[in-house]
Amino acid sequence: VVFPPYYFGQIFEAQHEPGTLAYSARLQLDLLQETTDQMSRNGCKKVIVVNGHGGNNNLLPFFAQAQLATPRDYVVYILTSPTYGPARPPLQSKVDSHAGESETSHTLISRPDLVHLDRATQESGADQNRLDLPRNLYTGIWWYAKFPDHYAGDGSLATQELGDFDMKAWTANIAAAIRAVKSDDVSPRLQREFFEKAGQPLKTKQ
């Protein structure tokens, strides 16, 4: 079963941009939880969430971890971006993120009618690098410090070759994940075992 595209993601870092709808963290988690709960009620006992937005990179693993808080009769899996490998066409840009070379190449494949390469150089997508913190020290303002206009890279360098390669890699990645999840009997079994033990922790062997 392929569920309709789910677009209620984490986007607090874009609240300064016109048109941004940034739902509260509580609502995001509740809505996603109730969605997967209802999918389970309708017979989906293994749910794969395919993440296509960097803003969800921390939210979705937390959501998956939070599934252990309460007994459930289904398993949530989170699928992130694929590793493209050495055969990928080389990038021409050093900075490549939001609306940059890769993402614009992807859109050349999925919705070429929305791509206007001639406009891509009208503003800068350079990393402003306004924070000077250790690499392993995280703060939520990091993205705004780097790319306050949400343009990260140079979309004018996009090519159909790169977009086609990446989209095929994504497709293969999703197909492999579906095969792995369909054959996964261990996660459901271990989750049932975990919930049984979690319900009576004092009986857990030490």
Side-chain angles (χ1 to χ4, degrees):
V1 176
V2 179
F3 202 75
Y6 187 90
Y7 49 84
F8 304 102
Q10 190 291 118
I11 192 65
F12 296 127
E13 64 273 14
Q15 287 188 97
H16 64 297
E17 297 286 0
T20 298
L21 302 178
Y23 296 108
S24 69
R26 182 73 268 160
L27 179 59
Q28 290 174 55
L29 291 169
D30 285 347
L31 188 58
L32 186 53
Q33 189 66 70
E34 295 209 11
T35 298
T36 56
D37 286 349
Q38 289 299 306
M39 292 173 76
S40 170
R41 188 178 67 83
N42 281 279
C44 300
K45 299 306 178 182
K46 295 176 177 179
V47 178
I48 304 174
V49 180
V50 180
N51 183 28
H53 172 50
N56 293 328
N57 287 345
N58 294 314
L59 176 77
L60 289 176
F62 173 76
F63 175 74
Q65 196 67 41
Q67 299 311 293
L68 300 182
T70 305
R72 305 186 192 283
D73 64 347
Y74 65 95
V75 180
V76 169
Y77 303 81
I78 307 299
L79 183 63
T80 56
S81 302
T83 301
Y84 295 113
R88 188 188 195 208
L91 296 179
Q92 303 175 65
S93 50
K94 291 183 179 178
V95 175
D96 179 45
S97 189
H98 200 246
E101 184 178 352
S102 294
E103 287 193 352
T104 305
S105 294
H106 302 165
T107 312
L108 280 172
I109 302 302
S110 62
R111 285 297 303 273
D113 56 304
L114 298 179
V115 178
H116 302 278
L117 294 178
D118 57 310
R119 301 180 191 173
T121 56
Q122 290 180 1
E123 62 179 277
S124 171
D127 183 351
Q128 295 191 19
N129 202 23
R130 296 181 292 175
L131 278 179
D132 184 20
L133 295 172
R135 289 177 62 85
N136 61 341
L137 185 62
Y138 184 89
T139 177
I141 203 67
W142 76 272
W143 175 263
Y144 181 80
K146 287 177 169 292
F147 308 107
D149 298 326
H150 280 255
Y151 185 27
D154 185 353
S156 71
L157 300 173
T159 64
Q160 287 190 328
E161 179 190 15
L162 177 62
D164 187 58
F165 181 92
D166 284 5
M167 290 301 98
K168 285 177 178 173
W170 258 107
T171 303
N173 194 42
I174 293 171
I178 292 171
R179 284 192 294 268
V181 167
K182 278 190 171 186
S183 64
D184 178 26
D185 296 323
V186 177
S187 296
R189 175 174 59 80
L190 291 180
Q191 192 167 282
R192 287 191 298 271
E193 176 186 301
F194 169 81
F195 287 135
E196 185 178 339
K197 289 184 176 181
Q200 42 187 356
L202 297 182
K203 294 184 178 179
T204 299
K205 255 188 170 182
Q206 299 298 305

